[in-house]
């Protein structure tokens, strides 16, 4: 029995371990089984690889990426608390497909439901949170479509929150990548997305084991998020993200012939991106720049200036670019000013062309001079 168990483990590892050192000369060498694929840099959105990226297709449970966007958006806005308890309706508990067997009319902590969606792709948890936030699944669907319009998803329409097949529901590889890109801005998402094994304890003490449907979380270096999907109509689908160093990549594949090729193709797309491209930080939000500003009526003569956000330059490895940073100071800066106040902009030029811009801020409070400070200034002159 022990030998059989060891052999089973070895077979499992052989099935899922993906080589992470493959180097591709160009995208023509990529052989992707998926009908549609799209790979991009997370920070800039730069396209790395695309195949039928705008084709409208059913996307199965990748639909939940949009619902998760709304969940984390409502949590960030204070409309939903992850530590609150909600009562699961009979409608939600009765959802078919992937589920965690929520018990009708019982209370569950929101965080456990979010975890169940991200790890186990639970349809019942998805509908339960849709009902909590919007009152009904139909209202949640309206919000999903509004969000799709807001994100400029021109090849997407939703008819349910779970991804169960409907003729009037579809998306594209490129649109799914945009949905995932939006979701990845929420730091609290990674608390759940990087979990491989967990469990859900029900109100009556029963336990449901949770295993992440995205196997790359465990078997691909740097993969820390994403969403799988499968229906007969959609085929095997996967939207995933991986980060190495300062570079984060998003990969989406739709309609693979089986689960094994789904993970293998996504891994090869990641390998291609990391082997051939890089993301260099050209300005850091954590370090003071060489610039300072003078603020009228402030206690100090000068204040150090920081970038509100870091800026990265994405491109091919060994590619050399001429990078210049210009600081445009706002006019008429007068104390008092709060920390994080914008005092101008940094404009980044790459090879003579504007690449991006970011707010320039001060990190400390610029306090207004008091009468005492003014008296000291006068006495120091004398």
């Amino acid at each position: 029995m022990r030998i059989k168990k060891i052999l089973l483990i070895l077979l499992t590892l052989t099935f899922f371990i993906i080589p992470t050192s493959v180097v591709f000369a160009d995208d023509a060498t990529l052989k992707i089984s998926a009908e549609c694929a799209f790979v991009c840099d997370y920070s800039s959105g730069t396209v790395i690889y695309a195949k039928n990226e705008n084709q409208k297709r059913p996307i199965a449970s990748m639909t939940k990426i949009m619902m998760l966007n709304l969940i984390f958006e409502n949590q960030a806005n204070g409309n939903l608390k992850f530590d609150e308890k909600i009562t699961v309706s009979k409608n939600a508990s009765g959802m078919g497909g992937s589920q965690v067997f929520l018990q009708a009319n019982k209370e569950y902590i929101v965080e456990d439901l979010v975890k169940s969606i991200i790890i186990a792709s639970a349809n019942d948890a998805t509908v339960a949170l849709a009902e909590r936030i919007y009152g009904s699944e139909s209202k949640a669907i309206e919000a999903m479509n509004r969000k799709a319009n807001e994100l400029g998803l021109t090849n997407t329409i939703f008819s349910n929150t779970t991804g169960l097949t409907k003729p009037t529901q579809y998306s594209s590889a490129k649109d799914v990548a945009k949905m995932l890109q939006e979701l990845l801005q929420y730091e609290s998402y990674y608390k759940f997305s990087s979990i491989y094994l967990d469990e859900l304890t029900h109100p009556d003490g029963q336990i449901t084991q949770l295993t992440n449907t995205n196997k790359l979380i465990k078997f691909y270096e740097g993969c820390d998020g994403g969403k799988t999907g499968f229906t007969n109509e959609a085929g095997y689908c996967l939207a995933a993200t991986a980060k190495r160093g300062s570079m984060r990549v998003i990969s989406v594949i739709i309609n693979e012939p089986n689960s094994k090729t789904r993970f293998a193709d996504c891994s090869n797309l990641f390998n291609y991106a990391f082997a051939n491209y890089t993301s260099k930080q050209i300005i850091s939000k954590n370090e003071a720049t060489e610039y300072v500003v003078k603020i009228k009526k402030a206690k100090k003569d000068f204040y150090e200036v920081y970038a509100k956000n870091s800026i990265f330059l994405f491109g091919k490895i060994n590619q050399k670019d001429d990078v210049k940073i210009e600081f445009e100071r706002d006019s008429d800066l007068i104390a008092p000013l709060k920390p994080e106040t914008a005092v101008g902009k940094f404009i980044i030029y790459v090879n003579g062309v504007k690449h991006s811009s970011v707010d320039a801020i001060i990190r400390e409070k610029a306090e207004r001079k008091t009468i005492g400070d003014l008296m000291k200034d006068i006495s120091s002159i004398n």
Side-chain angles (χ1 to χ4, degrees):
M1 181 66 72
R2 180 178 176 82
I3 293 173
K4 287 183 178 179
K5 188 174 183 180
I6 292 171
L7 286 173
L8 180 61
I9 293 171
L10 288 173
L11 285 170
T12 302
L13 290 174
T14 301
F15 182 84
F16 284 120
I17 289 176
I18 307 295
T20 58
S21 58
V22 178
V23 178
F24 299 98
D26 54 63
D27 60 9
T29 66
L30 286 170
K31 303 296 182 183
I32 303 301
S33 301
E35 183 175 348
C36 309
F38 186 78
V39 186
C40 67
D41 170 54
Y42 163 72
S43 297
S44 65
T46 304
V47 180
I48 299 172
Y49 176 85
K51 176 185 177 182
N52 299 325
E53 71 275 18
N54 293 314
Q55 187 179 117
K56 296 175 181 177
R57 291 281 311 168
I59 60 169
S61 282
M62 291 195 300
T63 296
K64 296 184 179 80
I65 295 173
M66 182 57 86
M67 190 62 216
L68 285 167
N69 265 301
L70 297 178
I71 290 168
F72 281 93
E73 182 181 276
N74 276 274
Q75 191 263 342
N77 293 338
N79 298 326
L80 179 71
K81 295 181 179 178
F82 280 6
D83 61 354
E84 72 175 273
K85 289 185 177 182
I86 66 171
T87 300
V88 173
S89 70
K90 185 177 180 180
N91 175 56
S93 68
M95 295 301 297
S98 300
Q99 56 184 305
V100 288
F101 309 102
L102 298 180
Q103 297 164 357
N105 303 315
K106 299 293 185 181
E107 286 190 332
Y108 287 82
I109 298 172
V110 166
E111 182 171 299
D112 286 341
L113 299 180
V114 175
K115 179 172 65 175
S116 297
I117 298 170
I118 295 173
I119 299 174
S121 193
N123 292 337
D124 44 3
T126 303
V127 175
L129 285 174
E131 291 175 343
R132 155 60 183 85
I133 298 170
Y134 297 102
S136 67
E137 186 182 15
S138 61
K139 291 295 183 183
I141 295 164
E142 291 176 7
M144 291 169 71
N145 285 312
R146 285 196 299 271
K147 189 69 177 180
N149 289 332
E150 178 187 318
L151 295 176
L153 309 186
T154 56
N155 295 306
T156 298
I157 189 167
F158 297 107
S159 299
N160 61 41
T161 61
T162 60
L164 294 172
T165 301
K166 269 195 169 185
T168 53
Q169 178 152 294
Y170 54 81
S171 188
S172 68
K174 185 176 181 179
D175 281 4
V176 172
K178 287 183 181 179
M179 288 184 228
L180 184 56
Q181 184 182 35
E182 179 75 5
L183 180 59
L184 296 177
Q185 71 176 303
Y186 298 104
E187 288 298 323
S188 53
Y189 166 73
Y190 300 97
K191 174 183 176 182
F192 309 98
S193 65
S194 57
I195 297 172
Y196 187 67
L197 292 173
D198 209 322
E199 58 184 31
L200 171 68
T201 302
H202 297 275
D204 65 359
Q206 292 188 56
I207 294 176
T208 298
Q209 299 294 328
L210 307 178
T211 303
N212 203 317
T213 58
N214 178 13
K215 306 304 179 187
L216 298 188
I217 292 295
K218 185 174 184 180
F219 296 105
Y220 190 89
E221 178 191 349
C223 184
D224 57 359
K227 185 73 199 69
T228 59
F230 170 76
T231 60
N232 290 330
E233 294 77 12
Y236 289 87
C237 305
L238 175 62
T241 182
K243 184 179 181 183
R244 294 184 182 177
S246 61
M247 179 173 156
R248 178 176 289 283
V249 177
I250 293 172
S251 175
V252 178
I253 48 181
I254 298 176
N255 196 19
E256 285 276 7
N258 57 62
S259 187
K260 183 178 179 179
T261 57
R262 164 173 62 181
F263 295 121
D265 277 353
C266 188
S267 296
N268 284 334
L269 289 168
F270 279 149
N271 289 338
Y272 171 74
F274 289 122
N276 293 283
Y277 294 87
T278 185
S279 184
K280 300 175 184 176
Q281 183 171 273
I282 54 179
I283 188 167
S284 171
K285 68 177 183 179
N286 297 317
E287 298 176 5
T289 63
E290 61 184 286
Y291 301 98
V292 294
V293 291
K294 187 173 181 62
I295 300 172
K296 295 176 184 178
K297 299 183 180 181
K299 283 195 173 190
K300 289 176 59 175
D301 291 332
F302 297 99
Y303 291 81
E304 290 183 323
V305 177
Y306 294 76
K308 185 175 182 180
N309 298 301
S310 298
I311 296 292
F312 296 87
L313 178 60
F314 177 80
K316 289 189 174 182
I317 288 177
N318 299 324
Q319 177 178 315
K320 294 183 178 180
D321 296 290
D322 177 29
V323 180
K324 292 182 180 178
I325 301 174
E326 292 185 1
F327 172 50
E328 289 188 355
R329 177 187 180 279
D330 286 347
S331 59
D332 208 26
L333 296 171
I334 304 174
L337 295 177
K338 297 178 181 178
E340 308 299 312
T341 297
V343 294
K345 280 188 179 297
F346 290 110
I347 302 176
I348 295 89
Y349 294 89
V350 178
N351 301 323
V353 179
K354 183 178 177 181
H355 171 270
S356 55
S357 65
V358 62
D359 283 345
I361 62 172
I362 54 172
R363 286 279 171 82
E364 61 180 310
K365 183 178 180 180
E367 296 181 331
R368 198 182 189 105
K369 282 185 177 180
T370 64
I371 294 176
D373 293 326
L374 293 171
M375 294 299 291
K376 285 181 183 179
D377 291 343
I378 292 171
S379 63
S380 63
I381 294 172
N382 295 332

